[in-house]
Amino acid sequence: MLPLRLAWRQLRAERARLFSAIAGVMFACVLVFMQLGFRSALFDSATALPQAMQGELFLIHPLTTALFRPETFPRVRAYQTLALPEVQVAVPIYMAQAIWRNPVNGTHRAIQLIGFDTEAGAVSFPGLDALIPALKRPDTIAFDWKSRPEFGPVPALLAERGPFQVEIGHRMVEIVGTVALGASFGADGNAVMTETNFRRLVKNRDTSNIDLVALRLRPNADPLTVQKQLTALLPGDVTVVTHDQLVAWERNYWETATPIGFIFAFGSLMGLIVGMVIVYQILFADIASHLAEYATLKAMGFSAGYLRLVVMGAAAILAGLGFVPGILASTGLYRVVAKATLLPLRMQADRGFVVLALIFGMCSIAGLLAMRKLRDADPADMF
Amino acid sequence: MADHPVALSNVGFSFGEGALRRPVLRGLDLTVEPGEVVLLTGPSGSGKTTLLTLVGALRAMQQGSCVVLGQELLGAPESARVALRRRIGFIFQNHNLLGFLTARQNVAMALELHPDFGDEAARLGMAGEILGRVGLADFADVVPAKLSGGQRQRVAVARALVAGPGLILADEPTAALDRQSGRDVVDLMRGLAKDRGMPVLLVTHDPRILDVADRVVAMEDGRIVG
């Protein structure tokens, strides 16, 4: 306790230096929070589509890397699963990207189309249920209001004039309402429609080939048992996965097959290094400007270990004092960024603990490096 | 021998290696009696400061025997030297007070090392008391930057003496002070040391303070000459 108190008194004496150190730690803290937040938001948003699917089991082509870029497989696989009495419904799902024309300024942008039997109850997005009757009409879609703003102010236009026409893939379709799904790094926006309307929109598509199948099981069926039975039953052009596995499949793509996970880890590391250098500079300057006093303490019989504790205590104090404003600022920034990017960004307790540990680690390393300067405090030079 | 707080015999010390080796102490003998104030003088380069760092256990011994407060320093490990330093009061040419602590807190730092001085309140109380003895009762809660040079050196004297050390080592304590302040500081030091029977080994160039000594020892070329 005594070394910690001495460290605090020393830090407190130099206000300007203390504040620049706190600002440095806070900066590192915010940077790491933002990087980890973006990383997590990316994975959350990338998996928004599989998250929203409600099946117990899914069929997917083993070579599919991610759902925005699926490999197709024969539609008949969906019906083959009905051979098992445990399978209640099998819903084929079509996915494709098409060009959307902004209804206000005419700019083009790729939109993710998702087509399936909306009445089967295997896939549902918030807001979809109310639109089911309207979506039965030819050339109708439901627009994802969480799509990026480049698609145009669709919700505002809907509120203003009611259902209206837009152009997707050189075909006029009617927007009958909105659902909530969320923009991801793979798709800037989404449109949901029935299977039939999907076929009308995507003409060059062989309808006997599908991208995904959602299976609903009878209430008392065990998904893992059925998964084994289906795997044995079906040919090798499909893989049977549970809901969690489907989400993990999508997440795995973003984590391993893209440099995105690495980029955010690298960004966090950069923040930590910058913070460490700042803290090191402050601690080093504190020792260097008090060398005579430290040497005097050594001459008085304070051990080198006591002085090391003073330095580490100062590092720990800076970590704590920088973390508190850092986490507050990050929480605020998350709100601002979430509003601007529509990515699901929010403060989470477990991330807070991870960053707290990283910041303390960062300051400890800075302390250990600065500590070497203590060797220059030689009491024999004092006389 | 064991009764002497400081007993040196045939102490030799050199700086540098090989061709650059430069001896500063050659076969030096010196003893300090209990309660005696010994003043070391001599031209610069005569080795008096090196002698003080050896007696203060701030440097490792090279040859000869140096027994301080019953501890043989030749071949003593760092831990033994740190333990011995806690029983010695040091007064430096510069006060070297911690700028971010008040005079009282600075003095109390010397008591932190000894568990038998009680808790924080007791330590601060003792520190205040000795500051009163050096005439700084009204300045106990002032930081060093707001004290004069003489006052700071008096705080340093209080810090060196507060824990009741077995020996006081002082290196040119008056060098940075004017005549009157310097006189006050050495008088205080002598008075407090005599009251408590503490021996003092004081290195100085300052001829104005020779009269505080019980014995003046002159050094030249690493030897005692008188």
Side-chain angles (χ1 to χ4, degrees):
Chain A
M1 267 336 272
L2 288 175
L4 193 66
R5 188 182 66 178
L6 190 65
W8 167 237
R9 285 176 171 172
Q10 178 169 342
L11 286 173
R12 195 184 50 182
E14 296 259 10
R15 289 295 156 87
R17 204 182 270 172
L18 175 64
F19 282 119
S20 59
I22 291 175
V25 175
M26 185 179 151
F27 168 78
C29 195
V30 168
L31 214 72
V32 173
F33 265 124
M34 293 321 288
Q35 297 291 331
L36 293 183
F38 280 133
R39 189 184 128 98
S40 155
L42 158 70
F43 293 138
D44 281 356
S45 73
T47 56
L49 183 58
Q51 293 275 16
M53 310 253 173
Q54 285 177 333
E56 282 86 21
L57 290 176
F58 295 87
L59 303 187
I60 189 168
H61 194 283
L63 293 180
T64 290
T65 49
L67 286 181
F68 77 95
R69 200 187 290 153
E71 292 284 329
T72 59
F73 57 90
R75 186 181 168 96
V76 68
R77 300 286 173 261
Y79 304 125
Q80 283 174 308
T81 62
L82 297 172
L84 289 182
E86 289 87 350
V87 179
Q88 193 169 24
V89 197
V91 184
I93 298 169
Y94 294 92
M95 281 179 290
Q97 297 213 355
I99 298 300
W100 161 284
R101 191 167 179 274
N102 185 317
V104 175
N105 58 19
T107 54
H108 288 175
R109 209 162 180 93
I111 190 167
Q112 175 89 31
L113 308 181
I114 306 157
F116 54 90
D117 180 356
T118 48
E119 285 173 297
V123 182
S124 185
F125 308 115
L128 183 64
D129 287 348
L131 300 175
I132 289 175
L135 283 172
K136 282 185 196 163
R137 298 206 306 272
D139 288 321
T140 53
I141 63 153
F143 180 78
D144 172 17
W145 66 265
K146 287 179 160 177
S147 300
R148 289 201 46 84
E150 287 79 2
F151 290 95
V154 174
L157 291 174
L158 268 176
E160 199 181 299
R161 14 171 152 147
F164 63 99
Q165 300 267 314
V166 290
E167 187 189 313
I168 299 180
H170 305 301
R171 190 181 176 91
M172 296 307 287
V173 294
E174 184 190 1
I175 300 182
V176 295
T178 57
V179 293
L181 191 52
S184 75
F185 286 72
D188 289 340
N190 301 287
V192 177
M193 65 216 69
T194 62
E195 214 178 287
T196 324
N197 280 329
F198 182 88
R199 285 183 203 170
R200 288 194 176 103
L201 261 177
V202 190
K203 293 231 180 51
N204 56 357
R205 176 74 184 261
D206 185 352
T207 54
S208 65
N209 279 339
I210 56 177
D211 301 296
L212 188 69
V213 174
L215 300 179
R216 297 311 301 262
L217 305 184
R218 294 201 189 280
N220 48 10
D222 173 35
L224 293 178
T225 316
V226 180
Q227 184 185 19
K228 273 196 197 109
Q229 289 170 318
L230 284 176
T231 306
L233 193 73
L234 295 170
D237 58 0
V238 288
T239 303
V240 187
V241 292
T242 62
H243 187 256
D244 287 347
Q245 285 169 338
L246 182 74
V247 173
W249 186 298
E250 189 75 2
R251 190 183 174 92
N252 181 56
Y253 168 78
W254 293 102
E255 259 179 11
T256 60
T258 68
I260 294 169
F262 174 77
I263 287 168
F264 287 119
F266 190 75
S268 306
L269 188 69
M270 284 293 117
L272 288 172
I273 289 176
V274 170
M276 190 186 77
V277 169
I278 294 173
V279 174
Y280 167 75
Q281 293 277 6
I282 300 288
L283 292 176
F284 184 91
D286 252 342
I287 298 172
S289 62
H290 290 106
L291 266 189
E293 287 85 348
Y294 279 13
T296 306
L297 290 178
K298 276 189 181 173
M300 284 162 65
F302 283 92
S303 62
Y306 184 98
L307 295 181
R308 284 194 210 110
L309 280 177
V310 173
V311 176
M312 291 313 278
I317 289 168
L318 291 179
L321 288 182
F323 179 77
V324 173
I327 192 171
L328 292 177
S330 303
T331 309
L333 270 176
Y334 275 175
R335 291 212 188 103
V336 173
V337 175
K339 215 172 215 173
T341 62
L342 298 178
L343 284 168
L345 212 60
R346 61 192 170 273
M347 186 57 71
Q348 281 154 343
D350 55 346
R351 193 182 305 147
F353 285 117
V354 167
V355 176
L356 182 66
L358 286 173
I359 293 294
F360 267 94
M362 170 189 97
C363 288
S364 303
I365 294 173
L368 288 171
L369 289 174
M371 213 182 255
R372 294 181 308 169
K373 182 68 179 167
L374 280 177
R375 281 190 223 139
D376 292 351
D378 184 359
D381 294 339
M382 293 308 300
F383 282 136
Chain B
M1 277 291 268
D3 296 326
H4 293 126
V6 179
L8 285 76
S9 77
N10 198 29
V11 170
F13 194 89
S14 316
F15 286 110
E17 295 284 327
L20 295 173
R21 188 176 163 86
R22 188 170 52 84
V24 285
L25 297 178
R26 317 156 197 254
L28 186 140
D29 300 305
L30 175 71
T31 52
V32 176
E33 304 291 330
E36 188 183 25
V37 176
V38 175
L39 211 142
L40 270 176
T41 63
S44 52
S46 60
K48 51 192 193 312
T49 295
T50 306
L51 179 64
L52 210 57
T53 59
L54 288 176
V55 173
L58 301 174
R59 249 185 236 292
M61 286 278 292
Q62 288 175 352
Q63 89 186 73
S65 163
C66 174
V67 180
V68 177
L69 302 177
Q71 166 76 46
E72 170 59 71
L73 285 173
L74 184 69
E78 173 72 16
S79 58
R81 291 198 282 139
V82 171
L84 175 62
R85 294 207 290 258
R86 296 183 180 177
R87 296 159 58 203
I88 298 175
F90 290 92
I91 300 165
F92 302 96
Q93 192 167 338
N94 296 310
H95 56 86
N96 295 336
L97 298 171
L98 293 169
F100 50 90
L101 297 182
T102 63
R104 187 200 298 274
Q105 288 167 336
N106 264 294
V107 175
M109 282 294 289
L111 297 170
E112 255 184 42
L113 293 163
H114 304 272
D116 36 325
F117 288 118
D119 61 5
E120 176 76 7
R123 290 199 294 264
L124 288 173
M126 270 183 84
E129 200 177 302
I130 196 158
L131 280 171
R133 295 285 303 278
V134 297
L136 291 174
D138 296 338
F139 298 91
D141 297 308
V142 169
V143 290
K146 299 209 171 114
L147 295 174
S148 72
Q151 287 170 326
R152 287 178 207 162
Q153 199 60 300
R154 270 141 69 189
V155 176
V157 168
R159 176 173 66 176
L161 271 69
V162 68
L167 172 68
I168 292 164
L169 299 178
D171 183 45
E172 314 247 11
T174 58
L177 302 179
D178 63 61
R179 180 191 181 85
Q180 189 55 45
S181 316
R183 188 75 232 174
D184 290 349
V185 166
V186 287
D187 281 347
L188 259 172
M189 194 167 77
R190 181 187 162 89
L192 288 169
K194 282 287 170 193
D195 284 356
R196 298 165 189 215
M198 297 171 193
V200 178
L201 189 56
L202 193 157
V203 164
T204 189
H205 271 115
D206 190 347
R208 300 170 301 191
I209 61 169
L210 292 179
D211 60 311
V212 301
D214 296 323
R215 179 154 62 103
V216 176
V217 176
M219 279 183 72
E220 208 171 312
D221 287 336
R223 290 192 187 85
I224 305 255
V225 292

